[in-house]
Amino acid sequence: MAKKPDRSVAVLRTAILVLGMHRSGTSALARLVNFLGAALPRHLIPANSSNPRGHWESKPLVDLHDELLAAIDSSWDDWRAPAVRWKESDAASRFAGRLRLVIDEEYGNAPLIVLKDPRICRTLPYWMSILEKSGVRTAPLIIVRNPLEVAESLRERDGISFEKAMLLWLRHNLDAEYETRHLQRNIVTFDALLEDWKLLAVQSASRLGVTWTRQPPMQDVREFLDSELHNHRATQAE
């Protein structure tokens, strides 16, 4: 059974936790949530050739998360589950305080934030515990993309084999789904995000128990969610 959240700390803020496998549309979804009013981190990873419209994730948090994964003998592209008792390790204890500090530095007192890093799927209970102890309610928003499209994107960007890409897709999606069953959440698809973002926004607000604080100009969102984002395509039948 997934661990129930700790209610001993007063919830002052809400984090829209964008979860999903790398190359699944997590960046586009995080930006949409920001368009709707959720605060982004202060120090963003710059856009690059693989994500020309931005990653929309915190560079200090990603760097620290990579350090944490290395400390527990893992990495962003490791499909294996972490050791069963790793959360009780010295490494987990060392990084907890640092992560809480960086979260505070990156988001300040913003009441609604968007936190996105696909690596979080690997250590999700640990992250949710840190957020709860900081008085931040976790509202998971999980995005799923056709695994064949993800595999092709990873092959092009990182040279990752088809078999390994499929294992990574399974690890991230199954862990994200299982560990968030006890929370208000929404599970969406990359295709739905591109086809009807307004419906997705309304559905997500209802299922996550949040109120969006901004009505973004439709043209701005439409231009950002241009179909050019969908570079690798595969059918459901495939």
Side-chain angles (χ1 to χ4, degrees):
M1 292 289 292
K3 181 181 178 293
K4 292 184 178 180
D6 180 3
R7 300 300 186 191
S8 61
V9 178
V11 175
L12 304 176
R13 296 175 287 167
T14 296
I16 307 297
L17 199 58
V18 174
L19 302 172
M21 175 56 194
H22 299 263
R23 316 306 295 167
S24 290
T26 55
S27 297
L29 184 56
R31 178 56 167 147
L32 173 62
V33 172
N34 168 245
F35 272 128
L36 294 167
L40 288 167
R42 289 172 175 162
H43 303 95
L44 294 171
I45 293 178
N48 55 27
S49 58
S50 64
N51 265 39
R53 301 190 185 189
H55 296 264
W56 311 104
E57 59 191 48
S58 163
K59 187 177 190 307
L61 280 175
V62 169
D63 290 345
L64 193 53
H65 205 178
D66 276 334
E67 284 187 48
L68 168 63
L69 289 172
I72 62 173
D73 191 30
S74 188
S75 63
W76 77 267
D77 59 346
D78 185 353
W79 62 267
R80 302 169 302 165
V84 174
R85 302 180 67 86
W86 81 269
K87 294 186 292 298
E88 302 167 19
S89 67
D90 291 340
S93 298
R94 290 198 311 271
F95 280 94
R98 295 174 64 188
L99 285 168
R100 290 178 66 176
L101 179 61
V102 173
I103 289 171
D104 287 343
E105 291 174 345
E106 287 292 276
Y107 294 100
N109 295 319
L112 182 65
I113 68 175
V114 54
L115 177 55
K116 171 255 175 180
D117 177 4
R119 294 164 183 79
I120 294 175
C121 296
R122 305 288 320 289
T123 55
L124 190 48
Y126 177 74
W127 274 85
M128 292 192 298
S129 175
I130 289 173
L131 290 169
E132 288 161 7
K133 290 175 181 177
S134 299
V136 181
R137 179 177 77 91
T138 301
L141 188 52
I142 303 171
I143 186 166
V144 181
R145 184 179 182 184
N146 188 311
L148 298 179
E149 297 178 357
V150 171
E152 178 59 23
S153 184
L154 287 171
R155 181 201 63 76
E156 182 179 286
R157 190 190 72 172
D158 303 295
I160 291 177
S161 69
F162 175 82
E163 292 80 5
K164 183 175 181 178
M166 287 296 187
L167 289 169
L168 285 166
W169 186 93
L170 281 170
R171 169 61 62 200
H172 285 70
N173 284 291
L174 292 179
D175 284 359
E177 191 283 322
Y178 177 75
E179 298 292 354
T180 59
R181 289 181 182 180
H182 61 293
L183 298 174
Q184 289 179 277
R185 65 178 183 178
N186 196 21
I187 301 176
V188 306
T189 67
F190 183 53
D191 289 334
L193 171 64
L194 299 182
E195 290 170 5
D196 194 342
W197 67 267
K198 290 181 291 182
L199 177 61
L200 185 149
V202 171
Q203 180 195 72
S204 296
S206 174
R207 293 184 177 177
L208 298 177
V210 300
T211 300
W212 303 125
T213 59
R214 186 185 306 155
Q215 293 293 328
M218 290 181 59
Q219 185 63 25
D220 290 352
V221 181
R222 190 179 299 115
E223 289 178 0
F224 178 79
L225 296 177
D226 189 278
S227 59
E228 291 179 6
L229 284 171
H230 205 168
N231 294 325
H232 303 285
R233 296 177 183 269
T235 66
Q236 293 296 319
E238 289 172 322

